């Protein structure tokens, strides 16, 4: 794993199943914060997956993000994760999410490189 600024952008079109009122995070028909954060995590995972060997994966360990603007059904969300720091197995990303009108959230996400077999054996 290098410390170069790797990045990836994941995309989602907001559907009924992503709304706060349908996932239990609120009672309004807007994108639920957990869905925005999941898209941020997905972008971080994808940013580094090609640098891992077949026995490895990454798992989320921490995420802190603002959700500053609502997004309605039918809109497209993009989440971008940029690898900011590598400290052994710990990967720190700067994450942001946008819709057609601009930034809707931003924050930091930490993932850890793990051995898949060893990790699953703990379940």
């Amino acid at each position: 794993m290098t410390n170069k600024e790797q990045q990836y952008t994941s995309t989602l079109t907001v559907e009924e199943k992503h709304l706060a009122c349908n996932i239990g995070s609120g009672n309004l028909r807007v994108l639920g914060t957990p869905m925005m954060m999941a898209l941020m995590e997905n972008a971080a995972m994808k940013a580094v997956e090609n640098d891992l060997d077949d026995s490895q994966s990454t798992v989320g360990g921490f995420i802190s993000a603002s959700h500053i603007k609502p997004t309605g059904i039918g809109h497209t969300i993009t989440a971008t994760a940029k690898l900011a720091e590598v400290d052994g197995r710990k990967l720190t990303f700067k994450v942001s999410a946008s819709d057609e009108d601009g930034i809707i959230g931003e924050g930091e996400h930490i993932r850890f490189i793990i051995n898949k077999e060893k990790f699953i054996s703990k379940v």
Side-chain angles (χ1 to χ4, degrees):
M1 185 70 52
T2 64
N3 197 10
K4 65 181 181 177
E5 282 208 10
Q6 295 159 278
Q7 73 176 43
Y8 190 88
T9 299
S10 296
T11 303
L12 171 81
T13 299
V14 180
E15 300 175 21
E16 285 286 334
K17 65 184 178 183
H18 305 124
L19 300 180
C21 61
N22 293 328
I23 63 171
S25 68
N27 58 12
L28 299 176
R29 294 181 53 75
V30 295
L31 176 71
T33 301
M35 298 309 301
M36 179 193 73
M37 293 174 86
L39 195 63
M40 290 172 165
E41 282 198 83
N42 179 263
M45 177 193 72
K46 296 281 192 183
V48 297
E49 72 180 356
N50 290 334
D51 294 316
L52 304 174
D53 66 45
D54 289 341
S55 69
Q56 296 176 312
S57 187
T58 61
V59 294
F62 172 84
I63 189 165
S64 174
S66 63
H67 191 175
I68 57 176
K69 182 185 163 297
T71 303
I73 196 164
H75 291 271
T76 300
I77 306 297
T78 59
T80 300
K82 295 180 183 180
L83 181 61
E85 184 179 345
V86 176
D87 183 8
R89 298 182 316 112
K90 179 181 175 184
L91 309 174
T92 303
F93 297 86
K94 297 298 179 194
V95 290
S96 63
S98 301
D99 65 12
E100 297 92 333
D101 297 322
I103 295 286
I104 65 166
E106 54 192 354
E108 179 180 85
H109 178 44
I110 296 173
R111 297 188 72 77
F112 292 91
I113 300 170
I114 53 97
N115 175 283
K116 291 189 271 190
E117 188 175 305
K118 185 176 176 184
F119 186 84
I120 290 299
S121 73
K122 297 176 183 179
V123 177

